Amino acid sequence: MLGIPRRYSHFVFGVIQSGLTSLIAAGIASFPAPGAKVFLAHWMVSWLVAWAAMLPIVLLAAPAIRAFSLRLTREERAR
């Protein structure tokens, strides 16, 4: 493992989450490409642009989303 300090886990999560989400979304958007070579080229360029756009948004929005989701839910009681 990389040994990144745990206090940076929010940033590691954001990088992984935004990368995976933008990879899948770019692949779906690139699917109508006329051939495999064009598809892969379009997919990779689209993914890099989408990831560059989404990474700062995810890093800034994740704490607010987490806080909001905690307000919408409650702790489960032990039975």
Side-chain angles (χ1 to χ4, degrees):
M1 294 277 110
L2 293 175
I4 299 170
R6 180 83 21 101
R7 67 180 175 266
Y8 300 116
S9 66
H10 167 75
F11 297 108
V12 173
F13 174 86
V15 168
I16 294 168
Q17 189 272 332
S18 63
L20 181 61
T21 302
S22 59
L23 179 72
I24 293 167
I28 293 168
S30 300
F31 190 70
K37 201 171 189 179
V38 174
F39 168 74
L40 285 174
H42 188 266
W43 188 12
M44 290 299 105
V45 171
S46 298
W47 174 52
L48 288 173
V49 170
W51 196 3
M54 288 308 301
L55 181 58
I57 293 169
V58 166
L59 291 178
L60 294 172
I65 294 169
R66 185 171 295 125
F68 185 58
S69 67
L70 289 174
R71 287 182 185 204
L72 292 174
T73 59
R74 62 178 170 77
E75 289 286 333
E76 292 186 48
R77 296 181 183 157
R79 294 180 182 194

